[in-house]
Structures are given as structure tokens and as C-alpha cells.
Amino acid sequence: MGGSVTSIVLAGGGTAGHVNPLLAVADAITRIEPNAQIGVIGTLSGLEKDLVPQAGYELEAIEKVPFPRRPNAQALQFPAKWMRENRKVKEILQRRGAQVVAGFGGYASAPVYSAAHKLHIPIAVHEQNARAGMANKLASRWADFIGTAFDDTGLRTRGAGRMERVGLPLRPAIAQLCSELTKSRVDARKRAATALGLDPMRPIVVVTGGSLGALSLNRAVSQAAPYVLAQAQVIHLTGRGKIEEVRRTVSESIGESALNDLAPEHAMQGDYHVAEYLERIDLAFACADLVICRSGAGTVCELSALGVPAVYVPLPIGNGEQRFNAQPVVEAGGGMMVDDASFDADWVRTQLPSLLSDTRTLHNMSAQAWKYGIRDAADVMAQRILELV
């Protein structure tokens, strides 16, 4: 490793999608190379401000420097801010004696890539999305290694740099669940369902639009509640501020007695379990026969790694990035994709009951999702980083 102490600097942040993989790789590096000194460069405006110190790593803060997308005041200020943060990053890298830099995208990564290149420090990149962001596109021209969660990200290495689909480094709870599923999917399902107050012997559908929820998913499923409940129990995570509309719709369509929460002491008191948010989402995934969800990169990679079939309803914004995330596992047979405009109560009434009753299809989808998924991404990415030292 080039010496008794290995110094590695990781960069990235903003959203949990950037921070969680970074922390998973940091933990993996520590397992492989216990003497490694790991520092993290991020901003004070992203989730890394809290998550990095909580995980036991030192956060070196820099200012957020977004790339200008149009000629305006921000564009005029960009060159000076960019140079200032590059100088700050250069000082951090030199002070820490960084032997390799690994970036995970987000605002904090770009100046770190630039400074590392100027200092001739090896660069590793992890890209979690099916279509790469601007910071990682910048880094690809200098990167010695690029690890991706998906094929065909649009990134290209230059010179001796190489690229590999390593998968998405998983959060500890999801990684632990993968281990449990490898031992016994039945036992893991039973423990999770019981903890949430559901019957592990009956089918379970999980509906989630993430922490903020998804109105179109909420309305489509809740309006078709009688048809879904005829086949399965439901865990419906509505997103913050959206629970009352779902509860009202379900109550009007099938009766208030169908409603329940996720408290185990309320088991058997209603099969439509509603909550705004579930911190232990791994429990819901562990007992799900089918998940209805958006197709953010993290969601797709986690469900694939767990072998959970899903109906992916991509968020209809931008350049269709979420569609690109779901497409590979859908093509592999591990899920299905429905346009947001087509996913309504009629679709749920006419399509979901037959899918839920087709246990052979669900089993095959689960097997294909598991086959497509990658469960050792953190260890592989960590090893590739250490190889650059």
C-alpha cells in the first residue's frame, strides 16, 4: 500500500444518494485496510454535514460551487468561486498527504477532482445513476478508475483509466438484509412482517414514493384499495404531509376498519397499513412480494440487490433519468415499468390483482432481480480505490 499509513480522501454529498454510498465505501476501506486514514470533503449544506460525523469520519467543508447553466450573475461569479474552492481543496489534500481521491458526485466532488488532477493524485469515481452527472463527467477525463452502478452511463475513460460496473454500495441495513436473505428468505420475511404487524403467510404489497411521497402513486393505489386488498396486505408509505388524503380515500372506498398503522400491537386490526415514513424501510422490503415505487438509482439498486420484484413508475421530469435507471432490471425480467401518465386507479384495478395472484411470475421476477443485483459493491469499490495507492 506504499507505507504504514494509507491516506484516502473521499468527496461528495448533497443528497443521501451521494452520501450513503460514500460512507459504505469508507467502512469497507476501513475493514480491508484498518490503518487507513480517511477524510471526507463535502459541504455544510448537504446531508453529509450530519451523516459523515455520525459515521465517525472527519468532514472537511468547502463551499458549494454549482456549474452555471445559463449566463447570469451566478455565471459571472463562478470563476472566482471555483478558483477559491480549488485552492482550499488543494490545501486539504496536501495537508492530509492524500494518496488517492475518490469522488461520488455532487457539488463537492468537482473541485476535488480538479485539485487532485493538478496535484497528480490518482482519482477514482463512483457514478450511481444510469446517466452521469456533471461533476463525474468532468472527472472522467482524468480518472484512473470509474465504478458505476449501471452500464452505459455515458462516461468514457481516457488513457490507462478503466471502468467497471461495480454496483451501488449499499447502506448497512440493506447490506445486512442481503446477508439474511442469503441464509433464509422465509425467516427474514417472517421477522420483518411480524415487526410491522403484518401476516407473513399472506401476500404483501409495499407502496412508496420516497420520503416526500408521490401523489400519483398515492392516489392510484388508495383509490383502488378494495381490489388490492382482495389479494394482499398493503404497506403504504405516503411521504410526509400526504397521509391524510390516503387515509380518507381508503376509508371512503372500503371503510375505515381496513386502515391500520405499522405497530405490531395492532396486528390483525386492518390490512391497509399507512405511515408517512418508515425509518426501517429494510423491514418493508424484507417482507414485500411486490413494491410499487419511483425508480431513483438507489431504489432500483437496493430492490435488485434484495431480489424484490417492483412496478417502477419513473418520475416524469428531466431527461427521463429515472426511466434509464429502471430499464436494465426490467429488461432482465426483475420488474416492470409503467409510465406515470398510465399509472392510475384503473391500471391498479385491472393489472395488479392478476399479477399478485401469479406467484410463479413473481417468483421468477424475484430471481431475475436478484441475478441482476449486486451485493458486494462497497467492498469491490474499496478494493479498486486501494489498488490506486
Side-chain angles (χ1 to χ4, degrees):
M1 295 295 174
S4 58
V5 176
T6 301
S7 178
I8 297 171
V9 172
L10 308 181
T15 67
H18 293 303
V19 181
N20 286 332
L22 182 155
L23 293 176
V25 171
D27 290 345
I29 291 172
T30 302
R31 286 195 301 272
I32 298 170
E33 186 69 19
N35 292 326
Q37 291 185 349
I38 299 174
V40 179
I41 297 179
T43 73
L44 294 179
S45 58
L47 293 180
E48 65 270 23
K49 174 180 179 291
D50 297 318
L51 296 182
V52 169
Q54 287 171 9
Y57 300 101
E58 181 183 358
L59 178 67
E60 303 260 18
I62 63 173
E63 294 295 322
K64 183 168 67 173
V65 189
F67 289 111
R69 297 178 182 271
R70 58 181 62 88
N72 54 20
Q74 185 184 55
L76 293 174
Q77 297 169 1
F78 176 79
K81 290 183 177 180
W82 175 258
M83 292 176 64
R84 182 190 67 211
E85 298 311 306
N86 264 260
R87 287 193 297 269
K88 190 183 297 184
V89 171
K90 183 177 179 181
E91 185 276 325
I92 294 171
L93 297 179
Q94 291 177 321
R95 170 165 45 83
R96 301 190 70 92
Q99 294 166 278
V100 61
V101 160
F104 293 78
Y107 291 123
S109 292
V112 177
Y113 293 141
S114 177
H117 172 65
K118 293 174 182 175
L119 292 171
H120 305 288
I121 299 172
I123 297 171
V125 175
H126 185 272
E127 176 54 60
Q128 63 152 311
N129 289 297
R131 291 296 180 269
M134 292 182 69
N136 284 350
K137 287 180 180 178
L138 171 71
S140 65
R141 68 186 70 182
W142 306 317
D144 298 275
F145 177 78
I146 299 175
T148 68
F150 300 92
D151 292 316
D152 303 321
T153 61
L155 296 177
R156 297 290 182 269
T157 57
R158 297 186 183 182
R162 65 191 186 96
M163 184 158 52
E164 176 185 354
R165 181 187 168 226
V166 300
L168 182 76
L170 300 172
R171 294 179 285 163
I174 299 297
Q176 176 61 33
L177 177 55
C178 287
S179 177
E180 294 175 7
L181 293 176
T182 301
K183 297 173 185 175
S184 173
R185 187 170 286 268
V186 172
D187 289 347
R189 174 189 175 90
K190 183 177 181 179
R191 286 193 297 270
T194 302
L196 297 176
L198 282 84
D199 182 355
M201 303 305 294
R202 298 165 54 213
I204 298 171
V205 176
V206 174
V207 184
T208 175
S211 60
L212 297 178
L215 281 176
S216 60
L217 273 61
N218 286 350
R219 290 169 177 169
V221 178
S222 61
Q223 289 170 9
Y227 296 83
V228 183
L229 290 176
Q231 296 289 337
Q233 304 163 91
V234 176
I235 298 174
H236 193 146
L237 307 177
T238 67
R240 293 187 175 93
K242 299 179 175 67
I243 191 170
E244 290 307 320
E245 179 182 344
V246 170
R247 289 181 60 88
R248 183 172 59 253
T249 302
V250 173
S251 180
E252 290 172 353
S253 64
I254 197 171
E256 191 172 351
S257 61
L259 289 167
N260 203 342
D261 54 25
L262 292 172
E265 59 268 25
H266 297 155
M268 311 300 291
Q269 293 183 20
D271 283 341
Y272 203 103
H273 300 258
V274 187
E276 285 191 325
Y277 181 74
L278 179 61
E279 186 68 32
R280 291 291 309 277
I281 189 69
D282 55 296
L283 293 176
F285 290 166
C287 62
D289 293 277
L290 183 71
V291 174
I292 299 172
C293 56
R294 293 299 193 194
S295 53
T299 299
V300 173
C301 290
E302 289 184 351
L303 291 176
S304 300
L306 295 169
V308 178
V311 175
Y312 294 108
V313 186
L315 190 66
I317 61 170
N319 297 316
E321 292 90 345
Q322 287 207 352
R323 172 174 289 276
F324 293 126
N325 292 337
Q327 193 167 347
V329 69
V330 169
E331 291 178 350
M336 59 190 301
M337 186 157 44
V338 182
D339 289 339
D340 186 77
S342 301
F343 189 82
D344 56 16
D346 285 339
W347 189 96
V348 176
R349 293 185 193 105
T350 58
Q351 303 298 319
L352 201 59
S354 59
L355 178 59
L356 290 170
S357 64
D358 190 348
T359 55
R360 176 177 294 182
T361 293
L362 288 176
H363 177 78
N364 288 339
M365 289 172 69
S366 174
Q368 292 306 313
W370 180 271
K371 183 177 179 181
Y372 174 79
I374 296 178
R375 285 158 286 280
D376 62 353
D379 287 338
V380 173
M381 189 68 197
Q383 191 62 55
R384 298 295 181 267
I385 292 168
L386 289 167
E387 289 168 0
L388 298 177
V389 175

